[in-house]
Amino acid sequence: MVESWVNYAERIGSDLHLELSAPGSRRAALGKALRDAIRSGRLAPGTRLPPYRSLAADLGVARNTVADAYAELVAEGWLTARQGSGTRVAERALPLHPAVTAQASAPRPRARAPRHDRSARHDLRQGTPDASAFPRSAWLASYRRALHQAPNEAFGPGDPAGRPELRAALAAYLARARGVRTEPNRIVICSGFAHALRLLFGGGSRGVTGNVDRAGNRGGGGQVLRGPLAVEAYGLPFQRELLAAEGVRTVPLPLDEHGARVDRLARERAVLLTPAHQFPTGGPLHAERRAAVVDWARARGAVVLEDDYDGEFRYDRKPVGALQSLDPERVILIGSVSKSLSPAVRLGWMVLPERYVGDVLAAKGDREAWASVLDQLALADLIVSGSYDRHVRRMRQHYRSRRDRLVAALAERAPHIEVSGVAAGLHAVLRLPPGTEPSAVEAAVRQGVALDGLAEFRHPETDMPSDDGLVVGYATPPEHAYGAALEALCGALTPGGTRES
C-alpha cells in the first residue's frame, strides 16, 4: 500500500487546502497560494495556520519550504507569528460583503426509506459511517457551550438561511479545508442532500403559492432550477427517483478512468457531479474535465451541482479541492455531515452563486422548519473549537486502517478480485468477471453479508458498457464486528463461497 500523507502530523494542526500551481520555486508557489487565500477572504484574519511539519506533509514539500514561506509573509505583514500562539493570518483581510436577505418557503418532508435487511449479520453497505465512533463527548461539550452562549432570539422562529454562527463557521472551514470561495451570506443550511435537491428542483412545497405545511410555513417560490439535468451514469438511485418525482429528466453521462465524460454535455441546463470522488466507482474528475465543465456552464448559462459527499476522507493522494473554487458563480456545492459525523445529525449546506440565494430562500420558507437551530449552534461550536477537525483526522486514520484491512484480506483470500476506488471515501468497488455479479451478491447473502451490486447504481438509460462488481462499505460495521464481516465477505468470494455457511 502506498504510504499515506495523512500519517504525518495528524495530532496537530487543521486541514488547509492550497494548490501550488504558480510557476517557479515551491516556496514562491506556496507564498502566492497563501496570499491569494488571504486576499480572497478564504483565510480570515486571525485564522491559525498549520505548523510547518503538518503543512509540509500535506503538500508534499520540505519543512524548510513552509518555514521560509511563512517567514516571508510575516515580513510582508500578511501573517503574524508569536511564541505559543503559532502563525496566524494578520488583521488585514478585506471585509466580507453585506449579507443577502430574502423571503422564503418550506419543503415537503418526503424521503425514500432506506432498505434494511434484518437477517444480515454483517452490514457492508455503503453510505454510513461507523456509528459507534460518533464524538459523543465533543458533541455534548459543544452542545452545552452553544446552549449556554446562545442569544435569546435563537429560541424563536429560525432564519431560513440558517444560524449566522454556523454559516460563518462553515464559510471559514470550507475555505480552509476544501478550497471553497464563499461568504456566509451565500450559504443556506438544509437538512441534507435530498433536502437541497428538493429546494433546487421542487420549489419547496411543489412551488404552489399559498400552500401551508404542518409547521405553518407558507410556500411561495417555484423551481430554482429546471431540467433536463445531466448526471453520472453511475450514481445513487434515490437521487434519480427524487428528481423524477419532481418532473426532472436526468440524462446519463458515461464514465471512464478520468471521471464523467463532460464532453458529452449538450443542451442540459445543469449537471450533477461527484468531482472529488466519483460515486460509486471512485477517483477524482480529471483536471482538464474540471475546467471543461466550468467552461461549458459559462458558455451555456448553465450550472454545475457539486456533491461533496466525502471530500474530507482521502488516504493515498493529496486532497482534491472543491470544483466550486474554479467559478463560484457557476457551481453550487452541496455538503453535509452525514459521512463525517452521522446521518442522524440532519444538517447540510448549499454554497450558492449570489443569483440563486434569494430564490432558494423563497423556496425554503419564512422560517427554518427542518434543521434544528440547537444542532446548528452545536455544529458551529464543534467547528470553531477545532473538535470537528480533530474528529475528521481521527476518523481518516480509522477508515484508512479499515480500508487497508479489507485490501489485505482480499489479497490473501481472494487474489483474483480487483479492488478499486480506495484512494478516498468510505467504500470500495470489487471488480468481478462479466456475468458473475448476481451470483456474488447471492453468495454474500448466504454468508450473512448485506452489500450492494454495482448494477444497483447504474442509470437505466445509459448506453455505456455495464461492469460487474460489488460496492463494499467498510466504514459501517462497529470495530468489534469488522473482522467477522471481512471473514464472511471473503468466504463469499472464495471457491465454495456460494455454498450455505
Side-chain angles (χ1 to χ4, degrees):
M1 186 63 62
V2 178
E3 181 65 17
S4 170
W5 70 269
V6 301
N7 284 335
Y8 298 96
E10 284 291 350
R11 294 185 180 181
I12 55 176
S14 301
D15 285 349
L16 174 60
H17 175 78
L18 295 171
E19 294 189 9
L20 308 187
S21 56
S25 69
R26 303 292 277 174
R27 187 184 75 175
L30 176 55
K32 182 180 184 304
L34 286 168
R35 290 186 195 92
D36 290 345
I38 296 169
R39 188 182 294 113
S40 67
R42 281 210 302 114
L43 291 178
T47 299
R48 184 171 181 171
L49 300 185
Y52 304 154
R53 183 181 177 187
S54 178
L55 186 59
D58 286 0
L59 297 177
V61 301
R63 182 177 177 181
N64 286 343
T65 299
V66 179
D68 291 345
Y70 277 12
E72 181 177 329
L73 269 67
V74 168
E76 294 176 0
W78 293 96
L79 304 177
T80 61
R82 294 184 178 87
Q83 186 69 29
S85 168
T87 305
R88 297 179 181 271
V89 177
E91 299 292 335
R92 60 168 294 164
L94 296 175
L96 297 175
H97 296 300
V100 173
T101 58
Q103 297 297 316
S105 168
R108 203 164 57 264
R110 189 189 73 232
R112 181 175 182 265
R115 294 179 295 113
H116 293 287
D117 183 358
R118 298 186 182 278
S119 66
R121 298 189 300 275
H122 310 291
D123 190 354
L124 290 177
R125 288 170 295 185
Q126 61 75 35
T128 57
D130 180 358
S132 66
F134 183 80
R136 300 183 188 215
S137 297
W139 181 260
L140 180 60
S142 286
Y143 207 95
R144 283 175 170 169
R145 281 194 298 268
L147 193 63
H148 178 70
Q149 298 170 4
N152 291 336
E153 53 89 12
F155 299 94
D159 184 341
R163 285 299 304 177
E165 297 91 339
L166 179 56
R167 290 186 284 120
L170 284 170
Y173 172 78
L174 294 172
R176 170 172 53 79
R178 301 292 297 124
V180 170
R181 295 160 54 196
T182 192
E183 300 153 1
N185 61 288
R186 294 192 182 197
I187 296 177
V188 174
I189 303 303
C190 55
S191 65
F193 191 86
H195 186 193
L197 280 187
R198 292 192 184 101
L199 288 170
L200 292 170
F201 289 96
S205 300
R206 280 209 182 276
V208 181
T209 302
N211 281 359
V212 179
D213 69 8
R214 290 179 295 178
N217 295 304
R218 188 170 299 279
Q223 287 179 307
V224 178
L225 301 177
R226 298 182 183 275
L229 170 69
V231 297
E232 294 162 332
Y234 281 83
L236 284 168
F238 93 86
Q239 295 178 359
R240 296 194 295 266
E241 293 167 7
L242 184 156
L243 290 162
E246 302 292 355
V248 178
R249 183 169 68 91
T250 57
V251 180
L253 291 176
L255 300 167
D256 61 21
E257 66 275 16
H258 299 305
R261 290 285 306 276
V262 297
D263 58 309
R264 298 285 189 89
L265 287 166
R267 297 182 178 277
E268 295 82 16
R269 292 172 174 163
V271 57
L272 171 59
L273 299 173
T274 51
H277 184 227
Q278 202 287 319
F279 182 87
T281 62
L285 186 65
H286 192 275
E288 291 182 0
R289 296 187 183 180
R290 289 163 66 92
V293 74
V294 170
D295 289 343
W296 167 83
R298 290 170 179 164
R300 287 278 304 157
V303 65
V304 181
L305 276 63
E306 179 176 11
D307 182 358
D308 196 38
Y309 69 100
D310 65 359
E312 297 94 342
F313 298 112
R314 66 275 180 182
Y315 312 119
D316 299 323
R317 58 171 169 78
K318 294 179 181 178
V320 178
L323 179 68
Q324 186 267 1
S325 65
L326 295 183
D327 192 338
E329 294 303 324
R330 289 295 170 192
V331 181
I332 297 174
L333 181 137
I334 306 173
S336 77
V337 297
S338 64
K339 304 295 188 297
S340 58
L341 286 177
S342 167
V345 181
R346 302 303 305 149
L347 287 177
W349 51 85
M350 288 179 280
V351 180
L352 296 161
E354 186 174 8
R355 67 186 183 281
Y356 291 128
V357 173
D359 289 341
V360 169
L361 292 178
K364 196 176 183 193
D366 294 330
R367 61 181 63 181
E368 176 58 70
W370 312 111
S372 164
V373 168
L374 296 181
D375 283 352
Q376 291 182 53
L377 292 171
L379 179 58
D381 182 272
L382 198 73
I383 294 171
V384 172
S385 68
S387 295
Y388 185 77
D389 270 285
R390 289 190 288 273
H391 172 72
V392 167
R393 284 184 169 245
R394 183 170 60 252
M395 297 313 296
R396 193 183 294 151
Q397 292 282 44
H398 177 59
Y399 293 140
R400 182 183 187 272
S401 175
R402 290 277 189 97
R403 187 276 315 262
D404 289 351
R405 290 172 62 186
L406 169 66
V407 172
L410 291 171
E412 179 182 354
R413 297 280 305 278
H416 60 290
I417 299 295
E418 176 191 352
V419 186
S420 65
V422 294
L426 306 182
H427 71 273
V429 176
L430 312 189
R431 301 288 179 174
L432 301 174
T436 62
E437 180 180 314
S439 61
V441 173
E442 292 175 5
V445 170
R446 282 193 284 270
Q447 292 283 349
V449 178
L451 47 67
D452 294 301
L454 192 56
E456 291 283 330
F457 305 96
R458 179 181 169 85
H459 195 292
E461 297 178 15
T462 183
D463 58 1
M464 69 176 289
S466 61
D467 293 322
D468 283 66
L470 301 177
V471 180
V472 176
Y474 50 78
T476 306
E479 185 62 24
H480 72 272
Y482 188 56
L486 290 184
E487 183 70 20
L489 174 66
C490 290
L493 296 171
T494 54
T498 57
R499 296 194 299 266
E500 293 282 350
S501 58

